[in-house]
């Protein structure tokens, strides 16, 4: 026996040689032999297409020509762009189905026989077929309207009935009669439903199919269409011969990404399998190459013959569920800007070189090293062939041709930095040809011709932010239209004749109720009807709208959260005059920040709601009267929303105005220069991008015309210092270190300066503090202002200068005066047994005009109460139910020297933390009186048009419309005349 003895040096030499050998082998790929045989029979190729659903194309519908047609050409025009071969669309259900709610054609049962063409899907399919008459069209519901009958079933997915089948027919009739569209397949019974067996198969075989045939739509059916257990259908197809016969295709969603590939027995069943919803990626090369790689693999491993990409268009607002995807980004119809994803050209490697009905060549489909693979297809007459390759590594492919006649082959290649490039043709010699594939590349080798890398007929416009300020009165629209830029998240909003005596057109929520059969996979659906618009980056603004509450409630919201589930700060107004400010959820009691009741409220007329937000201050108004002012730091930016109960409530004259001092300037602005910086994109940055550096000596200069400026950027655990120079004089050294990373935060603010042109310069030092692990500096925005600093001048709390008395007191520690001391931690308590009928009274040393009170209670004891004033006898001003953490009453101003809280019903002895009393807003000088001094103050600001904020308007802008005019004087005079 021979032994080998390894020394330390020999072991080292051995491993070095092994590593070198491995590297050498890796750099020289072995040749892959592939035979293209015209007699090699595989399955029918059913194309690559798209699924348009979930509200993702909403904003594209508002694009103007010629940009609209340019985008459509890139999607559907044969041998031009993506050249899509299949188009499946959602049958809308007016409920959230991912990134929005697509409207139903039959919102009520009455519309079933007279369906209404709403939304954009039928128009989009018509455009697709205009460009490609051979495109395959399909449709499928995500949700159903409330009026559909059905038995109780799992989750909230549908339990289909005859009504459900009639709903399909109604949609198909509408498509045929108004749009001239015929379909090639329908999906059943609902997108991604985990089917109930045998109930759903019985319905498809014995209700849906006969109903379709009787109506003249003998269409193939795909069922199920996705769902976690879609392939379980194969366990039930043998239960009844009718089941197997009625189902033409079985659809699985994202079979590779979700590990849902069919088993060998399913493949051998012979049933046609489709990847009926796959991912478009996020607009990157990674997403593009993944489409081709997966398309190859699903056939190689699963004999799946179709892939549908969701969505074709990323036309949903940022800040809703599942954006930053799609083949073309179309989020800015106001300027026409759009972005073309590399996925367009990845798809073209299949669609520009094949047609529906081609066949795979099974023996010419296989895998390469790493994630590489290839698939070969032939025309039905075996005259042409196409091979699509994704090479993760360098590959040498050698082909033998049998039964095809070809002298040369066209070759097209896509790589990360070069899409859909025509390469030199390959000559075929003695039935053979070869190609050397570069790493991370897509190739198509084909006998076909006529392919082009199409480009838009018109230059793509420059990007612009959403218009700000913004207003819409809906008068440009006819009845039944979806106004530009409004994206429904739940329910359906469309224009309608104004109600309650108002002329013209308003916006109306038209869904009478939410159905039981919704689509629940996102978990991000709003609890009430909601539509939104604007920018997620909006921070300080005023949002107002006229509202008519026919039933239940409406709301206007600011600073919506990161998905449509989070409505932001919502000012909710009920039909009965109750109002509240909720955060994110308009239905949950725990989300209420402040609430109140408007006395003598008339719910049968139009009102105006307004909410203003500036930094952490929020104020709400009803018909120009302030309801509340609070401070809250829960969210500092987000979109505005309109919302409603599921009732026919209306909105009109919506307006967005600026309320803050500061104008934000993105780091890409031409007003900012950069030297020594790099750019980086992240959706969490202001406007999604930033400049950064780890070097000393990097300079950024911002020139502005104003009084002050701010710098926004990141605080990080690996951050360093930068110096700030104002007009070339050093002002500060800023340390960007923080143990917890904070993006888009305020790093520096200049002192107040005289109005004029100023320069702020940043100079990185390359240094850091001892705690930091690096010296990075990240800047993503500047801001400037030319407005003087303004501090809100709140009305005086008259109770602080009052004498307090009560029906009884629970000792010195709970005396009446503790409810009028401005301290919410102290309180008045009535004595044992003094419950219903107990009272807390405030008296003033002289009569004051009062118009509102604010109450705070300990432990929710009060069930009902009244606010009364003394005028010889006690008279009612307002009444309400529970008080809770905060209760506000606003009433017509009265002059009195006494006011009291009367407890009409309580669970136990009442305990009031604060009883605050305020004069009207027309007390401009905040002395607690409305008198000649306020007339003088008003006259100093008379006709101050377009004043920017409260202090600039001298606090005389009572209607909060950024002007001081006769309408404000009317408010003042009515208060002044009170005796």
């Amino acid at each position: 026996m021979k032994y080998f003895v390894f020394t330390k040096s020999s072991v080292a030499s051995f491993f070095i040689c092994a590593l070198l050998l491995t590297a050498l082998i890796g750099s020289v790929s072995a040749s892959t032999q592939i035979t293209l045989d015209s007699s090699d029979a595989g399955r029918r190729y059913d194309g690559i297409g798209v699924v348009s659903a979930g509200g993702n194309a909403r904003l594209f519908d508002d694009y103007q020509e010629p940009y609209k047609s340019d985008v459509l050409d890139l999607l559907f025009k044969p041998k031009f762009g993506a050249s899509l071969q299949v188009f499946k669309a959602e049958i809308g259900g007016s409920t959230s189905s991912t990134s929005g709610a697509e409207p139903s054609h039959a919102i009520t049962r009455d519309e079933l026989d007279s369906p209404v063409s709403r939304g954009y899907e039928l128009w989009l399919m018509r455009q697709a077929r205009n460009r490609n008459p051979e495109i395959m069209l399909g449709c499928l519901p995500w949700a159903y309207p409330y009026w559909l009958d059905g038995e109780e079933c799992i989750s909230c997915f549908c339990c289909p009935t005859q009504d459900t089948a009639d709903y399909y027919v109604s949609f198909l009739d509408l498509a045929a009669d108004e749009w001239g569209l015929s379909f090639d397949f329908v999906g059943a019974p609902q997108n991604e439903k985990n089917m109930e067996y045998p109930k759903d198969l019985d319905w498809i075989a014995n209700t849906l199919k006969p109903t379709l045939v009787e109506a003249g739509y003998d269409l193939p059916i795909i069922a199920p269409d996705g769902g976690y257990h879609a392939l379980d259908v194969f366990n039930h197809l043998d239960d009844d011969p009718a089941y197997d016969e009625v189902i033409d295709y079985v659809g699985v969603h994202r079979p590779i990404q979700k590990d849902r590939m069919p088993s060998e027995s399913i493949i051998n069943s012979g049933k046609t399998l489709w990847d009926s919803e796959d991912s478009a990626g996020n607009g990157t090369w990674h997403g593009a190459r993944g489409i081709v790689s997966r398309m190859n693999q699903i056939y190689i491993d699963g004999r799946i013959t179709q892939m549908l990409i969701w969505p074709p268009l990323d036309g949903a607002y940022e800040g809703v569920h599942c954006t930053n995807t799609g083949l073309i980004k179309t989020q800015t119809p106001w300027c026409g800007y759009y972005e073309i994803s590399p996925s367009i050209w990845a798809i073209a490697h299949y669609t520009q070189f094949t047609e529906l009905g081609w066949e795979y060549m099974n023996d010419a489909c296989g895998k390469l090293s790493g994630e590489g693979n290839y698939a070969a297809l032939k025309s039905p007459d075996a005259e042409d062939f196409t091979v699509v390759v994704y090479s993760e590594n360098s590959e040498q492919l050698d082909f033998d041709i049998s039964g095809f006649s070809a002298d040369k082959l066209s070759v097209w290649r896509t790589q990360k930095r070069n899409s859909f490039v025509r390469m030199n043709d390959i000559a075929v010699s003695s039935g053979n040809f070869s190609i050397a594939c570069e790493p991370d590349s897509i190739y198509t080798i084909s006998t076909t011709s006529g392919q082009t890398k199409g480009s838009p007929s018109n230059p793509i416009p420059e990007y612009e932010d959403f218009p700000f300020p913004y207003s819409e009165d809906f008068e440009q629209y006819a009845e039944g239209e979806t106004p530009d830029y409004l994206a429904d998240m739940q329910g359906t909003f469309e224009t309608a004749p104004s109600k309650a005596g108002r002329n013209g057109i308003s916006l109306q929520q038209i869904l009478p109720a939410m159905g039981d059969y919704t689509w629940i996979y996102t978990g991000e659906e709003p609890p009430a009807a909601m539509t939104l618009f604007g920018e997620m980056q909006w921070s300080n603004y005023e949002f107002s709208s006229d509202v008519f509450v026919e039933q239940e409630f409406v709301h206007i919201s600011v600073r919506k959260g990161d998905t449509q589930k989070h409505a932001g700060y919502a000012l909710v107004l009920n039909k009965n005059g109750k109002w509240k400010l909720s955060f994110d959820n308009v239905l949950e009691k725990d989300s209420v920040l402040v609430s109140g009741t408007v006395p003598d409220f008339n719910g049968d007329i139009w009102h105006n709601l307004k909410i203003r937000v500036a930094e952490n201050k929020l104020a709400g108004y009803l018909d120009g009267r302030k309801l509340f002012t609070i401070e809250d730091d829960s969210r500092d930016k987000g979109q505005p929303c309109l919302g409603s109960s599921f009732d026919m409530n209306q909105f009109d004259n919506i307006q967005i105005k600026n309320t803050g001092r500061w104008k934000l300037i993105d780091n890409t602005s031409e007003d900012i220069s950069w030297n020594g910086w790099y750019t980086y994109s992240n959706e969490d940055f202001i406007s999604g991008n930033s400049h950064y550096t780890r070097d000393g000596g990097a300079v950024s200069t911002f020139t502005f015309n104003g009084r002050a400026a701010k710098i926004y950027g990141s605080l990080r655990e690996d951050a360093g210092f930068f110096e700030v120079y104002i007009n070339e004089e050093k002002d500060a050294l800023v340390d960007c270190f923080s143990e917890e990373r904070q993006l888009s935060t305020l790093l520096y603010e200049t002192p107040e300066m005289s109005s004029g042109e100023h320069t702020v310069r940043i100079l990185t030092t390359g240094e850091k503090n001892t705690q930091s692990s690096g010296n990075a500096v990240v800047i993503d925005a500047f801001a400037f202002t030319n407005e003087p600093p303004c501090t809100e001048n709140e009305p005086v709390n008259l109770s602080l200068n009052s004498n307090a008395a009560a029906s009884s007191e629970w000792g010195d520690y709970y005396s009446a005066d503790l409810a009028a001391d401005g301290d919410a931690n102290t309180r008045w308590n009535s004595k044992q047994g003094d419950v219903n009928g107990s009272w807390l009274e405030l008296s003033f040393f002289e009569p004051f005009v009062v118009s509102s009170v604010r109450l705070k209670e300990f432990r929710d004891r009060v069930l009902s109460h009244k606010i009364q004033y003394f005028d010889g006898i006690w008279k009612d001003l307002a009444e309400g139910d529970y008080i809770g953490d905060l209760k506000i009453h606003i009433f017509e101003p009265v002059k009195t020297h006494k006011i009291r809280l009367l407890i009409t019903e309580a669970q136990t002895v009442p305990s009031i933390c604060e009883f605050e009393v305020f004069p009207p807003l027309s007390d401009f000088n905040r002395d607690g009186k409305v008198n000649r001094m306020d007339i003088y103050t008003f006259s100093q600001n008379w006709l101050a048009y377009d004043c920017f904020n409260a202090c600039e308007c001298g606090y005389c802008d009572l209607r909060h419309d950024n002007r001081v005019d006769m309408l404000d004087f009317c408010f003042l005079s009515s208060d002044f005349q009170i005796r």
Side-chain angles (χ1 to χ4, degrees), residues 65 125 253 265 422 429 479 612 628 771 864 962 971:
E65 294 294 353
M125 284 189 282
H253 291 184
S265 62
R422 175 76 182 264
S429 177
E479 180 180 352
R612 295 163 62 94
F628 64 86
Q771 293 178 277
S864 63
N962 293 342
F971 275 103

Side-chain angles (χ1 to χ4, degrees), residues 866-911:
K866 291 183 177 181
I867 303 297
Q868 298 179 318
Y869 75 102
F870 192 75
D871 185 20
I873 60 172
W874 287 104
K875 297 181 179 180
D876 292 345
L877 280 173
E879 59 182 86
D881 44 27
Y882 69 92
I883 293 175
D885 292 335
L886 185 61
K887 188 75 170 183
I888 298 175
H889 290 289
I890 298 176
F891 38 81
E892 289 299 318
V894 296
K895 194 171 187 177
T896 185
H897 68 283
K898 286 185 181 182
I899 190 168
R900 76 174 181 177
L901 166 65
L902 176 64
I903 308 301
T904 53
E905 184 180 1
Q907 300 181 73
T908 184
V909 290
S911 189

Side-chain angles (χ1 to χ4, degrees), residues 657-787:
K657 298 178 180 179
N658 192 9
T659 58
R661 292 181 67 207
W662 300 92
K663 180 178 181 181
L664 199 66
I665 305 296
D666 181 56
N667 69 95
T668 59
S669 169
E670 294 180 354
D671 295 327
I672 308 170
S673 66
W674 302 91
N675 186 6
W677 300 76
Y678 303 91
T679 58
Y680 178 70
S681 297
N682 184 320
E683 62 182 13
D684 292 326
F685 290 136
I686 294 173
S687 297
N689 48 65
S690 70
H691 277 74
Y692 75 96
T693 184
R694 296 183 183 275
D695 302 325
V699 177
S700 176
T701 303
F702 171 51
T703 301
F704 67 97
N705 200 310
R707 297 172 179 265
K710 293 181 178 181
I711 301 172
Y712 291 89
S714 300
L715 296 176
R716 304 157 53 108
E717 69 285 353
D718 61 345
F721 300 146
F722 67 84
E723 297 174 339
V724 179
Y725 294 80
I726 302 176
N727 302 327
E728 298 307 319
E729 291 188 10
K730 184 176 177 180
D731 183 69
L733 178 67
V734 179
D735 185 357
C736 299
F737 169 77
S738 173
E739 292 181 351
E740 294 185 5
R741 184 166 294 197
Q742 302 173 47
L743 304 182
S744 302
T745 192
L746 178 63
L747 301 179
Y748 168 81
E749 181 176 348
T750 70
E752 291 289 328
M753 300 176 285
S754 59
S755 179
E757 185 173 282
H758 301 282
T759 297
V760 174
R761 180 164 60 91
I762 294 173
L763 174 64
T764 61
T765 66
E767 298 174 345
K768 63 182 182 66
N769 68 38
T770 56
Q771 293 178 277
S772 178
S773 61
N775 52 8
V777 175
V778 181
I779 306 296
D780 58 324
F782 290 80
F784 76 96
T785 181
N786 198 27
E787 304 300 328

Side-chain angles (χ1 to χ4, degrees), residues 394-464:
S394 297
E395 303 284 354
Q396 176 67 33
L397 306 183
D398 297 329
F399 292 86
D400 295 324
I401 297 178
S402 176
F404 294 105
S405 176
D407 296 326
K408 63 179 181 178
L409 306 170
S410 63
V411 180
W412 292 71
R413 185 183 70 189
T414 291
Q415 295 177 318
K416 184 175 183 178
R417 304 191 188 285
N418 293 287
S419 297
F420 211 58
V421 177
R422 175 76 182 264
M423 311 298 288
N424 293 330
D425 290 349
I426 295 178
V428 178
S429 177
S430 302
N432 301 295
F433 69 92
S434 298
I435 183 171
C437 299
E438 295 184 9
D440 201 22
S441 303
I442 302 169
Y443 290 87
T444 297
I445 307 113
S446 182
T447 59
T448 63
S449 61
Q451 294 80 19
T452 58
K453 183 179 181 180
S455 59
S457 299
N458 305 275
I460 299 176
E462 293 294 318
Y463 173 86
E464 295 179 14

Side-chain angles (χ1 to χ4, degrees), residues 30 109 151 164 169 322 358 472 644 650 673 736 748 759 775 801 846 853 856 904 946 961 973:
R109 182 181 287 276
E151 304 171 13
T164 317
V169 170
C322 282
W358 276 40
E472 177 60 77
S644 170
Q650 291 194 333
S673 66
C736 299
Y748 168 81
T759 297
N775 52 8
N801 294 305
E846 63 177 308
V853 301
K856 297 178 183 179
T904 53
D946 298 322
D961 57 359
S973 60

